[in-house]
């Protein structure tokens, strides 16, 4: 029964049928007590489960999102509308929240063996450490950098515990609680939902230091998802309506917004940023109204259709080798590659050539490794190039790598491996800064994001230019001649000191796609390889 309750409490979306949860971000404007929500947009755009969003800060958002059949932690950059993945475990992660005063987020992990616990995940490399050992945490929030207030699964119910992660102590303060936990602004108190009265759920406050509990307000019937706009104002979602309650002024919940026009049929999770100017909400919407990001967009319909067909076929050809590899069917695996296939290590170190050599190499590989498995966790495609972010398990060790597959009409003709590497700095920061000054056509700011000896290449290793002077000369005239220049990130992979972006670029009224591989050294971009 323990495993069944764990899954049913944490994963209610299995019962949604044909519904689809998406995450929406909007602006909040409050004038003379009147609340308005503007610029609401879908930021997840992902078929399936997207839930439990929270703000890292005013720029970054984390949430649970499905990829490749499991749920992981996604980080969304509001400035560039870009999503990357933080973690790479075999289990599924839920309810990511920033840990106070740390470069980490916490999340509930449900492992494949049914074990469910709270972990911390580094924002730099995704590595995880256990936070609370002896409790099956389902939902939670942080009271401070040492204290977690959570709903713990016990005897098929959720009970409220306060845990000190430094002293490893846990104390129970309430029974039969809901899933909504929030720090009350301008206080040391935590709000939670009490379900002890089954006819009227209540919002209560808890002082984690003293254990003192007080009633704040009643919820609407059978609604448990709320958040705080400020220390006196609560927001609540029911069906497609947002409500607010101003404490000590409003006698009842008051309707403030109808989100039916966004296709939302049911509002669940809610979160605001620290200043109360941004709102995150989870909306249940029918699948056929989901806004799905298109693979390719050009000004010519025929070109668009041809490109999409080419990319679909490239993905199909790459898929041909994965299942045979995982099941060690050597002959079938080898036949997915061209007779003259070339195998490289990025950027230009040739390992070997020909299908016969590949077959012999993997024959020895399978003998050496008793267990081997590859799982694609992210994929970007550009024309006949497929770039897979992969989890590769050899025996009892799992590593992350990126593989570039160049396809022809029938097979994979070139396979290039890019291994992971450790780095002390996050390479995204300088790449994001570079994108911002690029869009502003700021040539001085743009050049400053690169090392003095920066080199540009076309994939895999054809030089374009070398040095800041050549870079300035190349881009200065380009910036002047493209007043509408704008680039946005369609997909991103971060591995070691490298950032791989698929970018959608608007140039003089036309839209182009390209992939850029940025290599970072000493917090500056030292090399860029383009796939166009």
């Amino acid at each position: 029964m323990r495993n069944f309750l764990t899954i049913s409490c944490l994963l209610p979306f299995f019962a949604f049928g044909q519904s689809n949860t998406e995450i929406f971000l909007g602006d909040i404007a409050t004038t003379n007590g009147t609340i308005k929500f503007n610029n609401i947009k879908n930021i997840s755009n992902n078929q399936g489960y997207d839930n439990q969003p929270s703000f890292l800060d005013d720029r970054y958002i984390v949430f649970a999102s499905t990829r490749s059949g499991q749920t992981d932690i996604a980080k969304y950059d509001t400035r560039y509308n870009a999503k990357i993945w933080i973690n790479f475990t075999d289990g599924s992660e839920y309810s990511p929240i920033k840990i106070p005063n740390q470069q980490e987020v916490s999340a509930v992990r449900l492992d494949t063996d049914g074990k469910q616990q709270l972990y911390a995940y580094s924002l730099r490399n995704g590595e995880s450490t256990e936070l609370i050992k002896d409790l099956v945490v389902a939902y939670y929030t942080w009271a401070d950098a040492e204290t977690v207030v959570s709903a713990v699964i016990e005897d098929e119910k959720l009970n409220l515990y306060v845990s000190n992660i430094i002293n490893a102590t846990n104390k129970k303060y309430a029974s039969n609680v809901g899933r909504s936990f929030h720090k009350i602004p301008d206080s040391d108190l935590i709000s939670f939902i009490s379900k002890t009265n089954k006819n009227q759920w209540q919002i209560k406050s808890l002082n984690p230091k003293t254990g003192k509990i007080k009633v704040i307000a009643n919820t609407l019937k059978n609604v448990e998802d709320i958040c705080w706009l400020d220390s006196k104002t609560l927001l609540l979602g029911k069906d497609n309506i947002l409500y607010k309650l101003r404490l000590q002024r409003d006698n009842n919940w008051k309707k403030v917004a109808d989100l039916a026009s966004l296709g939302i049929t049911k509002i669940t999770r809610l979160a605001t940023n620290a200043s109360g100017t941004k709102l995150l909400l989870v909306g249940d919407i029918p699948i056929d109204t989901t806004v799905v990001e298109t693979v390719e967009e050009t000004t010519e319909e025929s070109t668009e259709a041809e490109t999409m067909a080419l990319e679909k076929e490239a993905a199909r050809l790459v898929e041909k080798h994965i299942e045979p590899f995982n099941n060690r069917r050597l002959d079938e695996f080898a036949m997915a590659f061209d007779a003259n296939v070339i195998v490289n290590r990025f950027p230009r170190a040739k390992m070997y050539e020909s299908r016969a050599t590949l077959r012999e190499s993997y024959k020895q590989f399978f003998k050496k490794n008793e267990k081997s498995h590859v799982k694609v966790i992210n994929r970007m495609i550009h024309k006949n190039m497929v770039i897979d972010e992969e989890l590769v398990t050899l025996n009892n060790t799992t590593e992350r790598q990126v593989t570039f597959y160049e396809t022809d009409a029938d097979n994979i003709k070139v396979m290039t491996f890019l291994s992971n590497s450790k780095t002390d700095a996050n390479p995204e920061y300088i790449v994001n800064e570079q994108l911002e000054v690029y869009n502003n056509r700021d040539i001085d700011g743009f050049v400053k994001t690169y090392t003095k000896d920066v080199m540009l290449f076309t994939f895999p290793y054809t030089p374009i230019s070398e040095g800041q002077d050549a870079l300035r000369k190349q881009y200065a005239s380009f910036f002047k001649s493209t007043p509408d220049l704008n680039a946005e990130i369609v997909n991103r992979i971060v591995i070691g000191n490298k950032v791989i972006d698929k970018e959608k670029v608007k140039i003089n009224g036309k839209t182009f796609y390209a992939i850029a591989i940025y290599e970072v050294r000493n917090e500056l971009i030292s090399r860029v390889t383009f796939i166009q």
Side-chain angles (χ1 to χ4, degrees):
M1 287 302 294
R2 175 181 175 273
N3 286 346
F4 173 77
L5 180 64
T6 300
I7 294 172
S8 63
C9 283
L10 198 54
L11 308 180
F13 58 91
F14 282 138
F16 285 177
Q18 293 302 308
S19 63
N20 178 52
T21 52
E22 297 284 2
I23 293 170
F24 294 83
L25 172 67
D27 297 325
I28 304 173
T30 304
T31 306
N32 298 325
T34 300
I35 303 172
K36 292 185 178 181
F37 301 94
N38 306 303
N39 306 317
I40 299 176
K41 64 178 181 179
N42 184 338
I43 64 170
S44 52
N45 280 329
N46 178 45
Q47 291 285 352
Y49 184 77
D50 299 278
N51 215 320
Q52 299 130 11
S54 63
F55 288 93
L56 286 180
D57 51 35
D58 281 346
R59 176 174 172 180
Y60 293 104
I61 293 163
V62 288
F63 57 92
S65 183
T66 297
R67 61 166 172 173
S68 303
Q70 72 178 51
T71 303
D72 291 321
I73 306 169
K75 184 174 81 169
Y76 180 83
D77 187 337
T78 60
R79 186 178 298 174
Y80 301 114
N81 300 319
K83 180 176 75 173
I84 65 166
W85 302 96
I86 290 176
N87 66 301
F88 308 96
T89 66
D90 289 334
S92 289
E93 278 79 13
Y94 302 88
S95 300
I97 301 174
K98 176 75 165 59
I99 300 177
N101 306 326
Q102 301 293 327
Q103 285 300 307
E104 295 179 317
V105 295
S106 53
V108 175
R109 184 162 85 210
L110 180 61
D111 287 321
T112 54
D113 62 1
K115 179 183 177 182
Q116 179 175 316
Q117 287 183 307
L118 188 67
Y119 287 81
Y121 296 82
S122 168
L123 287 170
R124 294 183 180 276
N125 56 26
E127 292 181 359
S128 61
T129 54
E130 189 178 69
L131 288 173
I132 300 176
K133 183 177 181 180
D134 300 321
L135 300 179
V136 184
V137 174
Y139 309 100
Y140 71 99
T141 196
W142 289 86
D144 55 44
E146 299 180 359
T147 309
V148 174
V149 179
S150 65
V152 172
I153 300 170
E154 290 182 322
D155 301 324
E156 302 187 22
K157 292 189 298 185
L158 292 177
N159 297 326
L160 187 152
Y161 275 77
V162 175
S163 300
N164 185 296
I165 62 170
I166 304 300
N167 301 328
T169 58
N170 307 301
K171 187 170 183 179
K172 180 179 174 180
Y173 283 104
S175 300
N176 199 12
V177 300
R179 65 191 180 196
S180 183
F181 290 84
H182 294 278
K183 184 82 176 286
I184 300 176
D186 303 324
S187 80
D188 295 325
L189 305 178
I190 301 294
S191 69
F192 68 96
I193 305 298
S194 173
K195 296 183 178 181
T196 52
N197 182 345
K198 64 180 180 179
N199 296 317
Q200 180 59 71
W201 296 350
Q202 292 180 311
I203 304 167
K204 295 184 177 181
S205 68
L206 166 75
N207 185 323
K209 295 179 180 179
T210 65
K212 188 174 183 179
I213 294 174
K214 291 184 178 181
V215 176
I216 297 174
N218 294 330
T219 72
L220 292 180
K221 185 174 178 60
N222 296 332
V223 176
E224 61 178 317
D225 293 303
I226 61 104
C227 72
W228 293 86
L229 181 58
D230 55 45
S231 62
K232 296 293 184 181
T233 309
L234 285 153
L235 299 178
L236 173 149
K238 182 177 182 181
D239 299 327
N240 57 335
I241 307 297
L242 278 172
Y243 295 84
K244 68 100 174 177
L245 181 71
R246 180 72 176 175
L247 300 179
Q248 300 173 352
R249 190 175 71 184
D250 295 336
N251 294 323
N252 297 295
W253 290 93
K254 298 183 181 298
K255 175 181 172 181
V256 290
D258 185 339
L259 305 183
S261 61
L262 296 172
I264 295 174
T265 59
K266 183 180 180 181
I267 300 168
T268 54
R269 307 305 176 86
L270 297 167
T272 55
N273 63 345
S275 60
T277 57
K278 299 283 185 182
L279 173 70
L280 285 167
L281 65 88
V282 177
D284 202 28
I285 64 177
I287 287 178
D288 58 2
T289 65
T290 305
V291 180
V292 181
E293 191 168 46
T294 56
V295 175
E296 191 73 20
E297 178 183 323
T298 66
T299 56
E300 298 292 336
E301 291 185 4
S302 60
T303 304
E304 177 184 3
E306 291 169 2
T307 302
M308 292 181 67
L310 177 64
E311 294 183 349
K312 183 177 180 180
E313 179 62 11
R316 186 189 71 81
L317 293 173
V318 170
E319 283 292 325
K320 284 170 54 179
H321 86 289
I322 296 176
E323 195 268 339
F325 173 87
N326 287 338
N327 289 282
R328 295 172 167 252
R329 297 197 300 271
L330 182 58
D331 290 337
E332 186 179 346
F333 168 76
M335 289 305 296
F337 295 85
D338 188 81
N340 299 310
V341 62
I342 299 172
V343 180
N344 300 320
R345 290 199 182 278
F346 183 85
R348 61 171 180 172
K350 186 175 181 179
M351 297 170 63
Y352 54 81
E353 185 175 354
S354 86
R355 182 192 295 153
T357 306
L358 177 141
R359 188 187 185 284
E360 182 60 28
S361 175
Y362 277 90
K363 181 179 178 180
Q364 299 305 317
F365 174 88
F366 287 146
K367 284 183 179 180
K368 181 180 178 181
N369 298 283
E370 184 178 344
K371 298 179 181 179
S372 56
H373 186 273
V374 64
K375 179 179 181 180
V376 178
I377 57 176
N378 191 11
R379 170 173 286 172
M380 61 177 69
I381 311 172
H382 184 62
K383 298 178 181 177
N384 70 324
M385 175 74 76
V386 177
I387 304 174
D388 279 351
E389 183 181 8
E390 301 166 338
L391 286 181
V392 180
T393 301
L394 301 180
N395 300 320
N396 296 318
T397 302
T398 299
E399 300 287 347
R400 190 164 59 96
Q401 70 177 25
V402 171
T403 308
F404 300 81
Y405 301 96
E406 297 176 67
T407 63
D408 56 21
D410 301 303
N411 300 102
I412 300 167
K413 66 177 183 178
V414 182
M415 179 167 64
T416 302
F417 296 110
L418 172 58
S419 300
N420 197 3
S421 61
K422 289 189 176 181
T423 179
D424 294 331
N426 187 338
E428 285 187 275
Y429 296 144
I430 191 63
V431 174
N432 287 342
E433 182 180 337
Q434 178 263 171
L435 181 63
E436 183 173 3
V437 292
Y438 176 93
N439 284 336
N440 291 333
R441 297 183 295 136
D442 175 1
I443 188 61
D444 292 330
F446 181 74
V447 171
K448 286 179 181 178
T449 62
Y450 292 85
T451 61
K452 291 182 179 180
D453 60 349
V454 60
M455 297 185 70
L456 305 186
F457 298 85
T458 56
F459 187 88
Y461 206 78
T462 302
I464 301 173
S465 69
E466 182 175 358
Q468 282 188 347
D469 290 343
L471 182 78
R472 178 183 292 275
K473 183 177 179 181
Q474 180 179 352
Y475 279 90
S477 59
F478 174 65
F479 286 168
K480 288 180 181 179
S481 63
T482 51
D484 64 344
L485 180 65
N486 185 76
E488 63 180 79
I489 302 166
V490 177
N491 195 356
R492 170 172 282 183
I493 297 170
V494 181
I495 184 162
N497 70 327
K498 298 174 181 65
V499 176
I500 307 170
D501 280 348
K502 182 173 183 180
E503 299 171 348
K504 176 182 176 183
V505 188
K506 184 178 180 182
I507 300 173
N508 294 328
K510 294 184 178 181
T511 300
F512 301 89
Y513 287 82
I515 290 173
I517 306 163
Y518 300 95
E519 299 182 48
V520 175
R521 185 180 76 234
N522 297 328
E523 300 184 3
L524 292 173
I525 300 167
S526 61
R527 184 190 304 266
V528 186
T529 303
F530 295 102
I531 302 172
Q532 295 175 317

